[in-house]
Amino acid sequence: AAYCSASRLMPGCHLPLLCVGIEHLQTNNLRLAFQHMESARTVCNFDPLVLNELGVVRFREGNHDEAIALLLQAKDRCQEIGEPLVCAKMWEAVLFNLGRVFQKIGDHQSAIVHLQQALVLAPHTASAHAALAFSNHCLGDLDGAVLGYHNA
């Protein structure tokens, strides 16, 4: 009800649609999450947060190629907005999600690159440290893995 009221009060704003999509994503209703996020993208096609969340939906559906494409678009949009430190939370989320998708398809080198970039922006993120440690572990870098697991 709150998001419907927000939509009425702010016509043309994509954020209520995005928030409804995120709520559906949290309840694992991927079809409705995607529909609302696509509607948000129709209203505002330049918001990297919308592209990031669409990438997360595609990742959870198992469509890794489309997830990577959406997340790379989100990364490009973040770069257009400005410096990483200005929008650190947005950048960190996109980079972390890219790292996780690359892990899922077995490209641990690319995962490490993106996870390290995410950790530069948010150095105390336990999930990023654990994901980085896992990729190091998979590549046989046991010292890096132990350090990453310890940091997590």
Side-chain angles (χ1 to χ4, degrees), residues 39-147:
S39 296
R41 183 162 71 164
T42 300
V43 174
C44 181
N45 65 357
F46 57 85
D47 187 349
L49 291 176
V50 175
L51 295 168
N52 179 58
E53 294 300 329
L54 282 167
V56 171
V57 171
R58 290 303 190 208
F59 173 73
R60 298 222 351 230
E61 290 174 338
N63 189 342
H64 301 123
D65 293 334
E66 193 171 340
I68 289 171
L70 287 162
L71 291 166
L72 288 174
Q73 285 179 30
K75 183 179 175 185
D76 291 342
R77 296 281 164 79
C78 286
Q79 289 172 333
E80 292 169 8
I81 289 173
E83 292 298 313
L85 295 178
V86 174
C87 307
K89 278 295 208 192
M90 185 174 13
W91 272 86
E92 188 269 333
V94 170
L95 293 169
F96 176 78
N97 289 333
L98 269 168
R100 293 292 293 137
V101 176
F102 282 122
Q103 275 184 330
K104 191 69 171 178
I105 64 171
D107 185 355
H108 291 285
Q109 291 292 353
S110 295
I112 287 172
V113 168
H114 288 93
L115 292 166
Q116 286 174 334
Q117 291 173 353
L119 282 168
V120 167
L121 298 172
H124 301 294
T125 307
S127 55
H129 280 289
L132 180 60
F134 178 75
S135 282
N136 283 325
H137 196 161
C138 289
L139 292 176
D141 178 9
L142 299 182
D143 291 336
V146 168
L147 179 63

